[in-house]
Amino acid sequence: MAARFADPDEVISQRSEVRSPDPDDIARRRREQRRRVEQAAAWWRHGRAAAAQAATGNPSRSYNKLEAKFAKLLDAAGVEYRWQFPLGPYAYDFLLPDKLLVEVHGTYWHADPRVYEGRTLTPDQRRNRLHDLDKKLFAASRGYRLIVVWEADIAKRGVTLQDLLRTGPSRA
């Protein structure tokens, strides 16, 4: 079979049809590349966390300091609880009897309304507040009550579990 050589006129006409890249297409490709890089970074962070969990023998993520303090209060009071309770697409910090969910929130990352009322929030704080509201609404739609325990309340001297749970549903 004989090799077919391209006609020079045909090659020139094909080259003239090549257009410059569309700026929107370039922006889309850059966004997609940025998303892939961010996803790879998230997987890397997840891998480091998984290695730490394996080293400690904890099958789930490890307690953060606030959750550990709250868990000690629950243990001291003899309250049965389930830590990192999955419900739908979310994981709640603690599930207590009578379908009571407890979320332990840090002052900065979750923008405690008593501290950040009327202040400009960072993008992370705004995102976390929206996520917290979604979690609260999702839990309520499934028949669960949600109480938010704030870092400042846990840090108080002499605070008891009853003091923390008596506050009732607070602004998340």
Side-chain angles (χ1 to χ4, degrees):
M1 184 166 161
R4 182 178 180 277
F5 294 101
D7 180 24
D9 293 332
E10 184 179 321
V11 172
I12 291 172
S13 69
Q14 288 176 355
R15 284 187 185 161
S16 64
E17 292 175 10
V18 174
R19 290 182 244 141
S20 62
D22 180 27
D24 292 336
D25 190 42
I26 292 172
R28 182 188 55 76
R29 288 181 186 171
R30 285 187 180 151
R31 279 193 308 272
E32 180 63 24
Q33 183 179 18
R34 203 174 309 123
R35 186 191 63 77
R36 279 194 230 116
V37 168
E38 288 171 0
Q39 187 177 32
W43 278 106
W44 180 80
R45 286 190 303 271
H46 174 73
R48 287 190 63 197
Q53 293 161 11
T56 61
N58 188 348
S60 183
R61 72 177 179 84
S62 60
Y63 282 120
N64 68 34
K65 290 178 184 176
L66 295 175
E67 291 172 357
K69 286 181 181 181
F70 189 76
K72 283 182 184 178
L73 291 171
L74 290 172
D75 291 337
V79 176
E80 288 187 28
Y81 64 91
R82 184 164 170 203
W83 178 66
Q84 290 299 308
F85 175 67
L87 181 63
Y90 303 107
Y92 296 85
D93 293 337
F94 296 94
L95 171 66
L96 304 181
D98 300 324
K99 295 180 90 172
L100 176 62
L101 296 169
V102 178
E103 283 284 287
V104 181
H105 285 175
T107 300
Y108 175 77
W109 288 108
H110 295 273
D112 186 343
R114 298 170 296 185
V115 176
Y116 287 91
E117 194 67 39
R119 292 172 63 182
T120 302
L121 302 179
T122 67
D124 286 335
Q125 289 172 323
R126 287 194 303 269
R127 185 191 70 238
N128 288 340
R129 271 208 176 164
L130 289 173
H131 181 73
D132 295 341
L133 181 61
D134 289 343
K135 284 177 80 169
K136 183 178 184 177
L137 294 174
F138 187 84
S141 71
R142 302 299 188 271
Y144 290 85
R145 292 180 307 130
L146 179 72
I147 292 177
V148 175
V149 176
W150 291 98
E151 176 181 12
D153 297 330
I154 292 175
K156 289 179 186 172
R157 287 188 179 270
V159 69
T160 65
L161 180 64
Q162 290 74 21
D163 294 336
L164 294 174
L165 297 180
R166 189 178 306 126
T167 60
S170 64
R171 293 183 285 178

